[in-house]
Structure formats: C-alpha cells, structure tokens
Amino acid sequence: MLASKRKHALGINWRGKIQIHQAKPNPFNAICLLVLALLGSGCSQNSLLARLDYQKSQQDFLRGDADGALLNFPRKAEDGTFITTVEKGYLSLIQGKPQIKGLQRQAEILEKRVRYHVTRESRTFFYVQTPEDYYASEHEVIWLHFLLSWGYSLQGKYTDACVEARIAGSLLSLPWSPEGHFDDPAMRLFLAGLWTMCGEWQEAQVDLRAAWFMDNSLAWAKELAERSQPPANLFLVLGGPGPEPVWAPELTVNPLRSERKISFALRGRKSPLAIADQRGIVIVPHLSPDANKWYQRHLARESELHELILDSAYGGKAALSSTIAGGKIAATTSAGLVVGTAGSALGAGIIYYANSAHAVEAGLAIAWASILKGREISREGYQESASKLKQELDPSNTYRFVRFVRYLPEYLWMGWSDQAITYPVELRTSTSKIRIQQPGVINSTSISVAHLPDVRPNRNY
C-alpha cells in the first residue's frame, strides 16, 4: 500500500474496524473546492476567533487562574466546535470539574468523520476534517480521548475511562510504517497515568516502557514500569501554557507559502518542581520530554491540496492588501508633497512681494515649516500603511490549524509515593506555588492532577 504511487484514504472506526477506500482524483472537484475557498476567504475571517479574542483568557491562564481563563473565554464565535470544546474541556478538567458533554459530542462526530490519508512519502499522517472544516492534527485527536478518559475517571466511570484510554493508545500504536506513525513519550507517560486512574496497571506498565523505549533518558519510567503493583499515590503535573504561533516568513521558491510560514515557540520554563505534603513528606517529580515534535509534525502533515487553497487565498489577500497599502502610501506622499510645495510657494511669495527683512524671515519660516510638515505626513502615511500591511499578512494572529494549542500542556512532571500522604500537597517552583487540596481520583491508586503555567511572572500575552 505504502509503495504505491497513488494516494489512498483510509476510513477507520476508532473501535478497530478499518475500511480502505481508493481516493479517485477529480480535477473538477479540486477546482470547485479552490473557488469556494477563494470566495469564502474574504468573508469567513469575521467568524473565526483570533489572537486578540483570547487575550483576557490567556492572561488569566498564564497566571495559573484556570477559572478566570474559562470565565473570560471568547464566546462570540466558534462555540461548540472542535477547537473551543477541547479548550474549555481542558480548562474545566484542570479544576477537577469533569464537564465533558461537549467532548463526548465531538468524539461521536469524529468517529463518523475520521479519514486517514496515506501517501507515498516515508511518513504516514492522519487527520480529521470536522464539520466546521477544521483539520485536527494527530495529537489533537488523541488529546480529545485523553480528556474524555480523565473526565470519566473523575466521575468514577472507570470502564468508560479505560475505553477512551484504549482508543488513544491504539492511535499511538497504529502500525502503518516503521517511522511513519505518530507516537510520543510525553503522551505515553500521560496515558500511563490515565490507565492508572481507571485501575489498569498492566496497561500503564506497557506505556511507561514505550516512553522509555522512545527516550532512553527516561530511566525512571522504566523503573516505575517494573513495579508489580502501582504506587499508592501518583502525581501528574501538567506544565507550560502551550506554544504560541509565530510568523516566520522566509525567502523560498514559493513566496506565498514561505511568507505564510508559521513556527511554534514553547513558553514553559521546565523549572525544577518540589512536591511536599502537609507533614513535609517529599515526592520526587520527574520531567518528561516537551511537545515540540507534536508541532513539527503538525506543520509537516498538511496536504498539498490544502496548501494550494491557502496559497491562493493568501495570495489574493496579499495582492489586495499590498495594492491598498501602496495606494495609501502614494496618496500620503502626494499630500505631503503638496503641503511642502504649497508652503514653499507661499513663503516665496511673501518674500517677493513684501520685500523686507521681516518678510524674508517669515517667508523662510513658512517654507521650512511646510517642508517639515509635508515630510511628516509622508512618513506617517508610510509607517501606518506598512504596519497595517504587516498585520494583515501576519497569519499568526488568526492561525487556526492548532487553535486549541493555546491550552495544551508542553510537558509534565510525574512523581509517586507509597507513603501515606496528608493533604493539602504543595507544588512549588522558583516563580509559583499551588496547593492540591485532595486527590482527583481515588481508585487502587490516589491520583492527583494539577497544572502549572511555569512562565515568567511578567510574561505578557
């Protein structure tokens, strides 16, 4: 299948039933899709959330105030879509509130709509096209099932929690090609925590070993996996506020694509973390690898047709914006020239007709002031137009492919103890401190999950 030069689309039911459909290219459909994208590109932006819409919510989140982040979450657009549902679901869960009805609806939608696209390249990507035409990445789909498993465990529905953990595990283990499928040690570690929540320690051992196999520096994960019984207490601390999309234009053969290039900047500091209970019992935390590879892969997996559509839409916007900006620059330059010329003429007339020393001084002053004013008008017009053009062409302000990345952890700390723990338990870094009042899940193991933004206190969004 992978050796074939044709592209195929694989439909899969998350519960394991796989169907293969050969994708027949249709030039007419591609042209129609391109035309619709071009027609919609000019009017759809008003209905999509942009960076500015998240400002208040993100500021609360960076301070570690998940409740404030949820209260100030933007509601004017995209309500009930995949992106906002997962964002709000995560903000609720890190407060210990399993509000997962929206997540359940999204999982049902994905089960009916998911498609895998296998290409002849060495990598094998999958993505889901949601009803609102958002193309969810692999780690986003897996994270949805993580959240559901976590939420079910908080509700005491351990069987359902294990079902969602199994779905997520199957997505991490799809045997498409030796190096093509998506897998990640940090996700394996969190999945091990989810298995422990729902009471399946043997499954947790498998994922702990998988994390160590992918990253041999995680010797502590291998040590934990070798235990025949789970620890009495397990702590999962999610770190970082999620990466920030950054505009990173480059000069390449395809200027439209290179000018639209996005990168992701991780914001978490990976600070040393101290965990201690009320009696001073210390729990040693271990840090996972970060999520940088999630976003590298996300950027790499975009299909060529999707890129072509974006090239066309971005190219039309760039041409229109550049024309408008050029016209404004020309207009303000002309206005500045008119002011300078007219003022100089007026000054010259005063000097000529008045024929006195005071008149010469006044005429020169008027001419010089007019030239300075004209220059100021031209400069301000140029700066304003150039700034607005940059703002309009900067895709990071409205970047939508990984919108809910704003509320994804960048790494996690994992710690455990077999001693009796007295709550509250304090988590402390050099810049922040929080308390866990009680474990979130008490099954065969007491599981405590918390979130630390782990950013500098003066960090602005």
Side-chain angles (χ1 to χ4, degrees), residues 232-254:
N233 304 280
L234 183 65
F235 293 86
L236 297 171
V237 184
L238 303 169
E244 181 70 5
V246 178
W247 188 23
E250 295 178 352
L251 182 60
T252 63
V253 175
N254 186 337

Side-chain angles (χ1 to χ4, degrees), residues 207-255:
D207 286 304
L208 288 167
R209 292 191 187 101
W212 170 78
F213 184 77
M214 284 182 280
D215 188 340
N216 292 150
S217 69
L218 301 174
W220 58 268
K222 183 173 181 289
E223 175 189 338
L224 183 58
E226 290 172 350
R227 296 175 55 119
S228 60
Q229 297 294 327
N233 304 280
L234 183 65
F235 293 86
L236 297 171
V237 184
L238 303 169
E244 181 70 5
V246 178
W247 188 23
E250 295 178 352
L251 182 60
T252 63
V253 175
N254 186 337

Side-chain angles (χ1 to χ4, degrees), residues 141-161:
V141 177
I142 294 166
W143 186 250
L144 169 66
H145 293 288
F146 279 1
L147 296 182
L148 276 171
S149 179
W150 181 4
Y152 282 131
S153 286
L154 287 175
Q155 293 177 345
K157 300 177 180 178
Y158 299 120
T159 300
D160 292 335

Side-chain angles (χ1 to χ4, degrees), residues 377-453:
I377 292 172
S378 299
R379 183 190 294 115
E380 288 179 354
Y382 174 81
Q383 291 175 344
E384 181 183 352
S385 299
S387 176
K388 188 172 183 180
L389 177 63
K390 179 181 182 297
Q391 184 179 0
E392 289 181 351
L393 296 185
D394 181 357
S396 68
N397 292 319
T398 55
Y399 187 66
R400 193 167 181 259
F401 299 144
V402 196
R403 174 68 61 73
F404 83 85
V405 72
R406 304 181 195 282
Y407 299 96
L408 275 179
E410 300 173 22
Y411 43 84
L412 63 87
W413 294 273
M414 180 180 285
W416 61 92
S417 174
D418 290 314
Q419 300 185 61
I421 298 298
T422 304
Y423 286 82
V425 172
E426 184 176 275
L427 311 177
R428 182 190 294 270
T429 67
S430 60
T431 59
S432 60
K433 178 179 69 175
I434 63 171
R435 287 188 173 185
I436 302 175
Q437 298 299 328
Q438 60 184 13
V441 175
I442 302 177
N443 199 351
S444 56
T445 298
S446 294
I447 315 289
S448 300
V449 185
H451 172 260
L452 277 174

Side-chain angles (χ1 to χ4, degrees), residues 313-328:
Y314 187 82
K317 182 177 181 179
L320 178 61
S321 299
S322 298
T323 301
I324 294 173
K328 288 182 178 178

